[in-house]
Amino acid sequence: MATRPEPAGVPGVPVDRSEVAARVRGWAPSLLRTLIALVATAAIFSALIAALGVNPADALTAFWEGAAGNTFNFGQTVMIASLLACTGLAAAIPFQARLWNVGGEGQLWFGAFAAVTLALILPDGMPGWLAITITVAGATLAGAFWGFIPGILKATVNANEVITCLMLVFIGIALGNYAISTLFPSESNQTESVPFDRLLPNIWTGTLVTAGALLALGAVLVALTLMSGTSLGFQIRAVGLNRNAARISGMRTGRVIVLAFAIGGAFGGLAGAIAVLGINGAVVAGFSANFGFLGIAVALVARLKPLWIIPSALLFAALRTGSSGLQAQTGISATVGEILVTVLVVLLLALGVIRLRYAEAAQ
Amino acid sequence: MSEGSVIPAAREAAGPVPGVRMTGISKAYGSTVANDRVDFELLPGEIHVLLGENGAGKTTLMGILFGMVRPDAGEVRLGGETVSFSSPEDALERGVGMVHQHFMLVQDFNVAENVVLGSVSPLDLMLRRAEIERRVSEAAERFEMDIDPSARIRDLPIDTQQRVEILKLLYRGARIVILDEPTSSLGPAQIEALFAGLKQLREAGHSIVMVTHKLGEVMELADRVTVLKDGRNATTVARGEFDERSLAKAMTGRELPELPAKSGGEIGREPLLRVDDLVVHSGARLHAVHGVSFDLHPGEILGIAGVEGNGQRELLDALAGVLEIESGTVEIGGRDVTGASPKGLREAGLSIIHEDRQGWGLVLDMSLAENLGLADVAAGIASRHGFLRRRGLKSRARGLLEEYDVRPANPDALALSLSGGNQQKVVLARELASDPQVLIAANPVSGLDVGAADYVHRRLLSVREHGRAVLLISHDLDELLQLSDRIIVLHRGRILYLAPVHEVSIDVLSMAMAGSAPSPVADGVPASAPVERG
């Protein structure tokens, strides 16, 4: 009989259900589990807060205030979500090909390094829009290059991508710090500031939301089109779901691996450009609060689906800004926010919202 | 457990073997009915074959008997007493044991440890190895099984592992042994040995249920047969009352006409596939394919026989372009394609039906439309400027699903939701859609029920009728004899025997597969004195 447990639908019996219903059935349980995880996280959070001697209700209010209490704070959440959406895509695309790109942090830093370098050395007379375009494109390409390296090593000598990615994270961060300390030093703990006309313009008065948010949105749409509408996206999925079958049906799996990695890296690099041109105006020491690594969680909670990256990124961004608000209002350390993120991720894992399948381990 | 010896000896049978009577068994999974008021009776000391197509409900029924599945309705009586096993342990306690299709052995433990696992404490398992081995050795002797109790499972061939599974049950006192598709991974000689062993168990008074969908096995072994179809009883008949045709009809609900006689097409002279002195290494196994040469002509089916592990898999992988060719050449339609990538080979006109349908043939988590489009997407003909022609893929899939009678014919269904037979039809549809010059089919009907197998065979014959060539690699001799024009026997990576099908018999093939070539003709070269080559 079948060599794998039969799914609910049974062989040969046509299952009559509309496509929409099937889709709802596909993500509804996951959404429900996410909600359960959120409620449970809030409960654990409240207990923790109470133990620290603060009224949990006050804390939750402060938390909400920080994340979305007013348009300014919500704008902050949106900008962090923009970064997280890009680093989330950086993880999601290679993950779809079963390639563990855990180097989003490095791609983010290298993208930021490239962005600040380009923005500061492009000739003075150049129009702002052109400088921005070149800078964003350059940072994206730089990120793609940072992804290409583990990709090509994986495809040619089967080097473990987790290790190569992590090593490139250290190099990327070191380059960023080199820019801060040596290449473009300034008075404070950051590089020289990028000239104002080369920054991404503000698009929402009263907040710090810039066109970087639009770039992130565009990135999600590009990823969506790539994965569901192109031959390459199809091949990335096929390689991820069954590398043998993809190979024997004539796909050039090595090429697909390299491209999936490079595309993931490009999104990471774009996140770097958004950080420099759309948020900080420079490379600031420690600007990335592990946004690259957090992208992995964002991707997994979104179940690697480009559109779901948006709510997932907003959720994680809100946790971040919320805990800043908490600190401001109640004096509780922002580290509590870190605990919060971790608790949520563990709960999501336990509830199976995040599912890792090691199909290839058997081969 | 008695004083002195902590490790129990194999349990002695007490009293006569009880009969089993299951009546009105029903079981539904969601809206799918696996068993619908099924009756099943097992007489003491008989070999009872439970026959049915894939998905007919055989495994569910036996799962209920073995305490793995709870029935929604119905009654199980063991020796006249109503029982309701809540777990396999429970069933084993009452003398009912089951060998699953996939063995439940700890690969890193030795035979003895696996046999006693669960019946002695973990501490004893570690400390009393010698005693355990002695006990198991006694048991093996008693049941006349030739097994070394100290051998590690992972070092044992598959048929020996199966014997360990059976011994494990007998050791714990099983009198009723259920085997789920026990021959699915065995070669012909191993099957013969298994059957001899089962007959021996019957002589010793055990009752045996064998679940299968292979008719040949029924004819050889069954005292009685119960046929299930769509979760219901089709028929129960005793030896002498059935033949293959009547059983096939009961299983499928229709008469299977004979395969069309071969002869239609003319075998062309210019070979479509020419393999010359092919040498392939496979990991640590050097010369897995050791200087193999053959021609495959238009309108011909060339069968490749051999005991599993004699180079067939490596030959397949090398010809498919996924295993490196060490030396030798491969030509398709006169074009040298040695060392070409799978993509290049496809462009040269090769299609492959891989023996590992789920591992290599399909992407189980993709839809049927996507699976049918795999090769087209790879070849770049399913996209324009890099953008997929989704609608085109889907409408083409609809046509193929209908043409190949895949059920459900829903292009959005995931491949994993299909039965094995329908999955194989999807592979066939994809591989034949490009009208390949050469089709390599490796064990194309393994795991399929008769109806689906018949369908696949007809398709292979029609490829041949159309003047294309088929290389049929199989460990099913009946299949090879039925379809092939010529048959090659591979032994230790070499061609030991090659002859037109009308000159060979099962006996001759069996001998050749065992390594002795009765009337060796390998391209005119006596194969009993194989030529050593680099």
Side-chain angles (χ1 to χ4, degrees), chain A residues 97 234-243 246 251 253 256-257:
Chain A
F234 183 102
Q235 297 188 51
I236 287 175
R237 287 199 304 125
V239 165
L241 293 170
N242 187 340
R243 198 166 296 178
M251 291 180 188
T253 50
V256 174
I257 287 171

Side-chain angles (χ1 to χ4, degrees), chain A residues 1-4 6 10-13, chain B residues 52-56 58 181 213 251-252 254 353-355 357-358 361-362 364 368 372 400-401 403-409 414-430 443-457 459:
Chain A
M1 315 222 41
T3 50
R4 146 193 258 270
E6 299 286 1
V10 153
V13 184
Chain B
E53 300 203 288
N54 292 325
K58 306 176 299 256
E181 307 266 357
H213 59 255
M251 256 168 96
T252 59
R254 63 192 166 96
I353 296 172
H354 201 280
E355 61 185 18
R357 187 160 54 238
Q358 308 201 329
L362 292 166
L364 291 174
L368 300 187
L372 287 166
L400 285 172
L401 293 175
E403 185 187 340
Y404 284 78
D405 191 27
V406 178
R407 288 176 213 176
L414 290 184
L416 63 81
S417 69
L418 265 58
S419 68
N422 283 302
Q423 289 181 345
Q424 191 70 322
K425 285 181 181 176
V426 172
V427 174
L428 261 181
R430 181 185 68 216
N443 292 311
V445 303
S446 78
L448 301 196
D449 54 53
V450 258
D454 181 69
Y455 184 88
V456 171
H457 285 160
R459 282 286 175 177

Side-chain angles (χ1 to χ4, degrees), chain B residues 263-492:
Chain B
S263 76
E266 181 107 331
I267 293 184
R269 267 184 305 158
E270 279 305 305
L272 279 176
L273 174 69
R274 165 168 269 168
V275 173
D276 188 35
D277 203 10
L278 190 73
V279 175
V280 180
H281 299 333
S282 163
R285 252 181 84 209
L286 297 181
H287 298 106
V289 176
H290 199 161
V292 164
S293 308
F294 60 83
D295 287 347
L296 175 59
H297 302 91
E300 184 183 37
I301 296 183
L302 176 59
I304 295 201
V307 175
E308 216 175 315
N310 274 279
Q312 300 97 316
R313 177 61 188 264
E314 289 80 3
L315 178 65
L316 166 70
D317 286 350
L319 292 178
V322 296
L323 188 61
E324 199 179 333
I325 290 171
E326 203 57 34
S327 65
T329 56
V330 179
E331 285 174 24
I332 292 176
R335 230 171 95 191
D336 186 352
V337 292
T338 314
S341 67
K343 191 179 171 76
L345 290 165
R346 281 191 181 267
E347 282 161 6
L350 181 75
S351 270
I352 304 233
I353 296 172
H354 201 280
E355 61 185 18
D356 185 353
R357 187 160 54 238
Q358 308 201 329
W360 288 82
L362 292 166
V363 183
L364 291 174
D365 290 303
M366 279 185 146
S367 71
L368 300 187
E370 290 171 322
N371 271 289
L372 287 166
L374 280 178
D376 289 348
V377 171
I381 56 177
S383 56
R384 184 181 295 169
H385 307 306
F387 285 93
L388 273 188
R389 296 197 252 200
R390 283 215 163 260
R391 225 173 293 159
L393 273 179
K394 217 175 210 179
S395 66
R396 186 161 161 286
R398 271 207 193 88
L400 285 172
L401 293 175
E402 191 160 320
E403 185 187 340
Y404 284 78
D405 191 27
V406 178
R407 288 176 213 176
N410 171 10
D412 295 320
L414 290 184
L416 63 81
S417 69
L418 265 58
S419 68
N422 283 302
Q423 289 181 345
Q424 191 70 322
K425 285 181 181 176
V426 172
V427 174
L428 261 181
R430 181 185 68 216
E431 297 302 315
L432 296 185
S434 60
D435 189 19
Q437 298 293 306
V438 178
L439 174 71
I440 301 181
N443 292 311
V445 303
S446 78
L448 301 196
D449 54 53
V450 258
D454 181 69
Y455 184 88
V456 171
H457 285 160
R458 280 166 200 281
R459 282 286 175 177
L460 294 185
L461 286 172
S462 91
V463 170
R464 174 183 174 279
E465 299 303 314
H466 282 87
R468 309 304 189 205
V470 179
L471 186 67
L472 175 64
I473 304 174
S474 174
H475 45 234
D476 182 343
L477 293 184
D478 291 331
E479 177 179 41
L480 288 168
L481 289 169
Q482 211 173 5
L483 299 178
S484 310
D485 296 293
R486 290 184 298 152
I487 295 188
I488 283 174
V489 175
L490 272 189
H491 183 257
R492 300 203 175 150

Side-chain angles (χ1 to χ4, degrees), chain B residues 165-188:
Chain B
E165 282 276 21
I166 296 173
L167 179 61
K168 191 165 102 182
L169 297 180
L170 297 175
Y171 178 85
R172 298 209 201 158
R175 315 282 303 281
I176 295 168
V177 177
I178 307 165
L179 299 116
D180 191 3
E181 307 266 357
T183 60
S184 57
S185 47
L186 302 184

Side-chain angles (χ1 to χ4, degrees), chain B residues 488-504:
Chain B
I488 283 174
V489 175
L490 272 189
H491 183 257
R492 300 203 175 150
R494 298 172 202 271
I495 294 180
L496 189 55
Y497 181 79
L498 186 157
V501 72
H502 54 81
E503 289 177 17
V504 303

Side-chain angles (χ1 to χ4, degrees), chain B residues 49-52 225-229 232-236 247 250-251:
Chain B
V49 170
L50 186 56
L51 185 70
V225 187
T226 292
V227 182
L228 293 188
K229 173 164 166 47
R232 298 205 180 99
N233 283 94
T235 180
T236 298
L247 289 177
M251 256 168 96

